[in-house]
Amino acid sequence: MNHQSRKVLQVIEPQSVMEGAGVRLKRSIATRKLDNIDPFLLFDHFGSNNPDDYIKGFPMHPHRGIETVTYMIEGVVNHKDSIGNSGSIGAGDVQWMTSGSGIMHAEMPQPQKGEMKGFQLWVNLPAKLKMMKPRYQNITSEQISEIRREDGVNIRVIAGEVNGVHGPVTDIVADPTYLDVTIPPDGSFSHPVKRGHAVFAYVFEGEGIFGANSEEQEKIISQPRLAVFGDGDYIKAIAAINPVRFLLVSGKPLNESITRYGPFVMNTQEEIEQALADLRNGTFVKN
Ligand code: MN
């Protein structure tokens, strides 16, 4: 039988944190309550009308052993890195950056009127690929397939597949799905997810009902909240009186040891110390 709906196991209220040179963020993964959802290591939501909350940005900093995925809803982040990429990530764009052995980059939100809004997700790399050559996929909003269903449900497919429509982000080890889903009032959305894969939903507009098909298992989730799902075959979400917009993210767990220190996530403490030594010695960027 392929018909088991996934239950909501945990609902996470984001924590307010300061990161970079002083950027105010809402963090749901990489907190005391939720260290990770293997293979996902961190999830940040930035959203503010006040440039003071983000203007200091994230000046040049290193990463090793992970992928960072930036998805912008509103506003612009300028970036540049040690493998020669530079440019801007605007509304609806995605940057899927694989740090591998080491990248240095700057991520600087640009001041603007109105809201600066987006997300950053960290995806783990398996031990055998942590020291891979860095790489970078820059996806513009126009490259992202958008499904507009007759019932008003709207799905932007960033990674993974919905009804034969594939997202533009490919060749990622975690076999990820990354969808931006909007459900109008009284609408519903179901999506199959491979058994054993980790899944979370991040509600960032409105509220929706998530979980299994019986009332006692359903949960009403209002923005901003992250829902962690248990195992099963599919995810179901419903909008009642209000519309709901959320990210639906899934991936294949690595089941490896995780040792993290700031922007480095490796398997062992020795590997973290090596990253710090490489930074001191000027041998951090290898490619
Ligand atoms: Mn970064």
Side-chain angles (χ1 to χ4, degrees):
M1 292 291 285
N2 251 5
H3 296 298
Q4 198 182 340
S5 175
R6 287 174 175 245
K7 290 179 208 169
V8 175
L9 291 186
Q10 209 178 353
V11 179
I12 301 289
E13 180 180 354
Q15 277 181 15
S16 184
V17 297
M18 289 285 257
E19 265 296 358
V23 179
R24 199 175 295 277
L25 300 166
K26 297 185 192 74
R27 177 163 294 170
S28 309
I29 307 177
T31 66
R32 271 193 200 146
K33 265 189 224 153
L34 185 62
D35 182 78
N36 68 87
I37 309 173
D38 185 14
F40 304 112
L41 297 166
L42 175 145
F43 184 77
D44 284 341
H45 171 195
F46 44 99
S48 176
N49 288 313
N50 180 0
D52 291 344
D53 286 341
Y54 58 78
I55 195 68
K56 289 175 189 153
F58 304 87
M60 264 312 165
H61 61 277
H63 289 287
R64 176 176 285 178
I66 59 169
E67 305 187 89
T68 68
V69 183
T70 307
Y71 177 40
M72 295 298 295
I73 302 292
E74 298 286 346
V76 175
V77 172
N78 285 356
H79 69 92
K80 64 179 176 201
D81 68 35
S82 55
I83 53 175
N85 300 297
S86 66
S88 58
I89 316 168
D93 298 346
V94 173
Q95 183 201 68
W96 200 295
M97 190 281 286
T98 306
S99 77
S101 59
I103 201 166
M104 300 282 292
H105 74 171
E107 302 160 288
M108 304 300 289
Q110 298 302 296
Q112 61 159 34
K113 288 213 169 71
E115 199 163 14
M116 165 73 58
K117 184 154 83 177
F119 309 98
Q120 188 166 89
L121 173 71
W122 291 10
V123 187
N124 207 359
L125 286 169
K128 62 174 194 278
L129 292 174
K130 281 197 178 288
M131 296 300 281
M132 71 183 276
K133 197 175 167 198
R135 99 187 155 148
Y136 170 91
Q137 297 185 49
N138 191 48
I139 312 287
T140 62
S141 187
E142 304 78 64
Q143 293 173 284
I144 295 171
S145 313
E146 191 155 336
I147 300 169
R148 295 168 185 274
R149 293 192 339 203
E150 272 179 26
D151 63 0
V153 173
N154 197 73
I155 308 144
R156 304 193 82 222
V157 186
I158 293 158
E161 183 245 311
V162 178
N163 297 331
V165 176
H166 291 262
V169 176
T170 55
D171 300 320
I172 303 291
V173 183
D175 187 17
T177 296
Y178 193 127
L179 310 177
D180 173 358
V181 181
T182 306
I183 307 176
D186 298 322
S188 73
F189 172 78
S190 294
H191 185 72
V193 181
K194 282 181 195 157
R195 272 194 175 257
H197 281 210
V199 191
F200 72 85
Y202 188 77
V203 176
F204 64 99
E205 289 177 19
E207 63 179 17
I209 300 162
F210 292 78
N213 273 324
S214 71
E215 269 180 33
E216 74 229 40
Q217 292 176 342
E218 287 175 347
K219 284 207 163 60
I220 298 173
I221 299 174
S222 303
Q223 66 84 25
R225 290 288 186 280
L226 183 140
V228 185
F229 292 89
D231 207 1
D233 301 295
Y234 69 96
I235 296 290
K236 188 172 185 199
I238 301 168
I241 300 166
N242 299 310
V244 62
R245 186 173 180 188
F246 60 97
L247 304 179
L248 184 66
V249 178
S250 72
K252 188 176 189 299
L254 296 178
N255 296 309
E256 292 182 359
S257 60
I258 295 169
T259 305
R260 59 164 97 206
Y261 182 77
F264 314 125
V265 187
M266 305 301 286
N267 298 102
T268 67
Q269 188 59 34
E270 290 70 33
E271 291 166 333
I272 294 291
E273 278 156 25
Q274 186 62 53
L276 291 166
D278 285 352
L279 262 189
R280 281 194 303 272
N281 300 335
T283 56
F284 183 76
V285 173
K286 298 181 187 302
N287 294 279

